[in-house]
Amino acid sequence: MLELFRRKKVIQVPRFSGKVGLTDLNDYRRVDFGPMLARGDDDRVIFTREKNGLRYDFAFARKPKAKRLFVLFSGAASRKKLDPPVFQRWKWADRFPGHVLYVSDPALYEHEKLGLAWYIGVGNEDALPFIAETVSELAAFLKIKSKRIVYYGSSGGGFASLRMLDFMPDATSVAINPQVTLAKYNQGLVNPYLKVCHNADSNTFDFVANSDRFDLLAHPKTTDYRIVLVQNLMDKSHYSKHYSPYCRMLGMTPDKPGRKGRARTILFSHDRGHLQAETSDVFTQIMRAV
């Protein structure tokens, strides 16, 4: 696989992100979480964990002798089409050079119409620390060091990927067209989450007091962190309100791709704007970077 990268071969990926939900998962075996995940022969298995009233669903694709673990977060899900658990990039597992762990957002169970929750959690219960704990335990089963763990997501999933560095600073974060500061994001999408999970709206919710969970700039990062930040230039709102401030926090120039320390930025242009995450060429660049 690495030889392919040296020859700069483009890894073909499906045009769309391939989200799947409950009705698509009937044929996959459900297992208990434990060391046997490192020895299973299934193409993919699903396991569920619970903590403090939240249900966490994961799907795991094991690859023999793999030396990396990719953890995939999902962006917004259409609840008219999908019921949780929801996993994104379902058809991409064989394209990642390592084991793949899919993570569904536990807050989707809170309301039948809620499709986006950024893995922030419900009320005072933050979802990401327990997800980090699960990833750490799985990595130990697989004998993979934290520096070989790669968090990966776009949009709301990119927000979660970047925030995971608060809990696993040795890992790598790949974020494509991510939100960064939710107070600056489309309140038509933020308000449903606030209403369901915090009994508030954007006018009454205290974003400042909760900045640890709602603003990625609250815990500043430097280029000592392994970050791959990817942005579609034609997604102008995310470029100006989210990508650019994050770049400036890192001390990097937003308007051109670059590398500084352990951080890298990748820019591309596609007329589908925010709806277009990574293209095949961009995916190849990301894999080369990690």
Side-chain angles (χ1 to χ4, degrees), residues 207-281:
F207 285 102
V208 175
N210 292 279
S211 61
D212 281 3
R213 293 165 68 185
F214 285 78
D215 188 352
L216 297 179
L217 304 181
H219 288 175
K221 300 294 180 289
T222 69
T223 53
D224 290 335
Y225 289 84
R226 295 181 176 92
I227 298 170
V228 182
L229 195 61
V230 185
Q231 181 62 48
N232 183 355
L233 290 170
M234 298 186 75
D235 177 5
K236 295 181 180 179
S237 177
H238 280 77
Y239 175 83
S240 62
K241 296 179 181 179
H242 302 279
Y243 169 81
S244 293
Y246 202 88
C247 281
R248 287 192 288 269
M249 176 189 69
L250 294 174
M252 301 181 74
T253 302
D255 59 359
K256 60 182 179 180
R259 185 191 301 269
K260 183 177 181 181
R262 294 176 172 175
R264 178 175 179 177
T265 58
I266 298 173
L267 297 173
F268 69 104
S269 294
H270 196 287
D271 59 11
R272 294 185 74 240
H274 188 67
L275 295 177
Q276 179 63 49
E278 65 277 49
T279 61
S280 293
D281 176 66

Side-chain angles (χ1 to χ4, degrees), residues 228 264 266-267 280-290:
V228 182
R264 178 175 179 177
I266 298 173
L267 297 173
S280 293
D281 176 66
V282 170
F283 183 76
T284 299
Q285 293 182 57
I286 294 170
M287 291 300 98
R288 192 180 298 130
V290 302

Side-chain angles (χ1 to χ4, degrees), residues 89 130 141 157:
R89 294 175 175 82
F130 185 63
F141 299 151

Side-chain angles (χ1 to χ4, degrees), residues 66-285:
K67 296 181 179 179
R68 288 184 178 84
L69 173 62
F70 290 83
V71 182
L72 273 57
F73 294 109
S74 297
S78 171
R79 294 302 301 273
K80 292 181 179 180
K81 300 178 180 178
L82 300 170
D83 288 322
V86 174
F87 303 120
Q88 190 170 358
R89 294 175 175 82
W90 189 247
K91 296 180 179 180
W92 295 29
D94 61 342
R95 295 174 171 86
F96 287 97
H99 306 288
V100 179
L101 180 69
Y102 295 87
V103 187
S104 181
D105 194 323
L108 299 187
Y109 285 109
E110 298 298 311
H111 194 279
E112 62 183 5
K113 293 185 179 180
L114 184 63
L116 179 60
W118 296 274
Y119 296 82
I120 293 173
V122 179
N124 292 325
E125 185 63 25
D126 192 349
L128 286 187
F130 185 63
I131 292 173
E133 179 182 325
T134 299
V135 172
S136 294
E137 290 181 50
L138 178 60
F141 299 151
L142 298 167
K143 298 182 178 173
I144 291 177
K145 297 180 180 179
S146 57
K147 67 180 181 180
R148 290 185 172 271
I149 297 171
V150 181
Y151 291 100
Y152 193 107
S154 58
S155 191
F159 178 94
S161 173
L162 289 170
R163 192 166 167 251
M164 285 302 299
L165 294 176
D166 291 345
F167 309 103
M168 298 187 73
D170 291 336
T172 297
S173 173
V174 177
I176 304 132
N177 301 337
Q179 288 92 55
V180 167
T181 301
L182 296 192
K184 295 182 179 180
Y185 188 49
N186 183 342
Q187 297 306 294
L189 295 173
V190 175
N191 276 329
Y193 167 69
L194 291 177
K195 180 178 180 180
V196 169
C197 296
H198 299 274
N199 194 30
D201 60 31
S202 58
N203 293 319
T204 60
F205 188 74
D206 192 339
F207 285 102
V208 175
N210 292 279
S211 61
D212 281 3
R213 293 165 68 185
F214 285 78
D215 188 352
L216 297 179
L217 304 181
H219 288 175
K221 300 294 180 289
T222 69
T223 53
D224 290 335
Y225 289 84
R226 295 181 176 92
I227 298 170
V228 182
L229 195 61
V230 185
Q231 181 62 48
N232 183 355
L233 290 170
M234 298 186 75
D235 177 5
K236 295 181 180 179
S237 177
H238 280 77
Y239 175 83
S240 62
K241 296 179 181 179
H242 302 279
Y243 169 81
S244 293
Y246 202 88
C247 281
R248 287 192 288 269
M249 176 189 69
L250 294 174
M252 301 181 74
T253 302
D255 59 359
K256 60 182 179 180
R259 185 191 301 269
K260 183 177 181 181
R262 294 176 172 175
R264 178 175 179 177
T265 58
I266 298 173
L267 297 173
F268 69 104
S269 294
H270 196 287
D271 59 11
R272 294 185 74 240
H274 188 67
L275 295 177
Q276 179 63 49
E278 65 277 49
T279 61
S280 293
D281 176 66
V282 170
F283 183 76
T284 299
Q285 293 182 57

